[in-house]
């Protein structure tokens, strides 16, 4: 079975990737599979740049293909922020709920019709230090005024998906994967594997 190293320390992302990629016949390993797990500095100016940086750097440390993603929340009323700084918004030490509350505080005076936002995910696949494929996904929504739901992770409890009429944290894993930014990107990756556009060795 082709094996991919998922280059993230976020357990929520690892779980989503492992379950989703298994449907396409791909086995996954975490960063624990690497002898050198020194973090890669994410100093790119875009989601794609950061995904490439991580995938290429980690792929030099393993014979397997490496999948890295960079994703985040962009809020129009925050001039597109937190964007590439989503995981560190407010402070690198904040918990996910605290980071959600920091966003709500920043938007406290923003009216409901101006609270538009989107999640974006960019996936990079690399081998031996070279990016061989890029896939992305975007989902539109709005930011609520309170946290709702117990599922998911990150900003899911404050991200309302209009078509689902719920926050991402109120959706089941299967429901979220069917509409999310990461789900879109993963489906594009799996389609490329199925049609032979992307070849991942065993």
């Amino acid at each position: 079975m082709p094996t991919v190293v998922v280059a993230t320390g976020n357990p929520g992302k690892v779980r989503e990737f492992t379950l989703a990629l298994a449907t396409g016949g791909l086995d996954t390993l975490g960063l624990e599979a690497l002898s050198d797990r020194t973090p890669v500095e994410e100093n790119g100016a875009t989601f794609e740049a950061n995904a490439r940086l991580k995938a290429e750097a980690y792929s030099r440390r393993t014979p397997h293909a490496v999948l890295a993603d960079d994703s985040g929340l962009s809020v129009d009323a925050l001039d597109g922020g937190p964007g590439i700084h989503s995981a560190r918004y407010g402070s690198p030490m904040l918990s996910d709920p605290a980071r959600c509350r920091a966003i709500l505080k920043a938007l406290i005076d923003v009216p409901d019709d101006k609270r538009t936002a989107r999640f974006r995910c960019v996936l990079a696949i690399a081998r031996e230090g070279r990016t061989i494929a890029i896939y992305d996904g975007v989902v539109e929504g709005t930011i609520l005024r309170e946290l709702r739901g117990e599922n998911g992770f990150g900003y899911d409890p404050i991200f309302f998906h209009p078509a689902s009429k719920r926050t991402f944290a109120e959706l089941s894993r299967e429901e979220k994967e069917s509409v999310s930014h990461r789900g879109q990107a993963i489906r594009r990756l799996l389609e490329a594997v199925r049609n032979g556009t992307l070849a991942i060795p065993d």
Side-chain angles (χ1 to χ4, degrees):
M1 181 180 291
T3 299
V4 175
V5 175
V6 178
T8 178
N10 184 315
K13 287 185 180 182
V14 171
R15 186 166 52 252
E16 285 192 2
F17 280 123
T18 298
L19 293 170
L21 294 178
T23 67
L26 298 177
D27 193 17
T28 56
L29 298 172
L31 289 178
E32 68 277 1
L34 304 181
S35 57
D36 178 4
R37 294 187 288 275
T38 305
V40 175
E41 185 178 3
E42 298 177 45
N43 55 10
T46 64
F47 290 123
E48 180 174 332
N50 282 328
R52 284 177 177 270
L53 281 169
K54 289 185 287 186
E56 291 175 4
Y58 285 121
S59 73
R60 295 186 182 98
R61 309 176 192 177
T62 176
H64 298 298
V66 171
L67 167 65
D69 92 303
D70 198 37
S71 56
L73 177 71
S74 295
V75 181
D76 292 323
L78 298 179
D79 297 324
I84 61 172
H85 305 295
S86 291
R88 302 176 294 280
Y89 183 75
S91 164
M93 307 306 294
L94 290 183
S95 65
D96 283 352
R99 220 176 300 284
C100 286
R101 287 190 286 271
I103 292 284
L104 297 186
K105 183 177 180 180
L107 297 177
I108 193 166
D109 295 323
V110 177
D112 291 347
D113 63 344
K114 301 295 184 184
R115 299 170 75 90
T116 50
R118 65 207 47 81
F119 273 127
R120 184 170 184 226
C121 171
V122 177
L123 304 182
I125 304 281
R127 285 200 69 215
E128 300 176 341
R130 183 176 66 86
T131 296
I132 57 176
I134 294 285
Y135 305 97
D136 69 354
V138 178
V139 61
E140 300 286 336
T142 59
I143 303 300
L144 297 183
R145 295 186 178 275
E146 61 183 5
L147 282 72
R148 280 177 26 188
E150 303 296 329
N151 301 326
F153 58 93
Y155 297 106
D156 287 353
I158 60 173
F159 185 82
F160 182 79
H161 184 241
S164 302
K165 297 183 171 59
R166 285 170 288 171
T167 68
F168 269 10
E170 293 175 305
L171 301 178
S172 68
R173 178 182 62 81
E174 294 80 7
E175 288 172 325
K176 180 184 171 185
E177 284 182 1
S178 72
V179 296
S180 76
H181 52 310
R182 190 168 295 108
Q184 294 173 35
I186 290 173
R187 284 191 294 277
R188 287 168 181 150
L189 184 159
L190 293 177
E191 177 59 27
V193 171
R194 284 191 290 267
N195 66 28
T197 305
L198 175 64
I200 297 178
D202 295 344

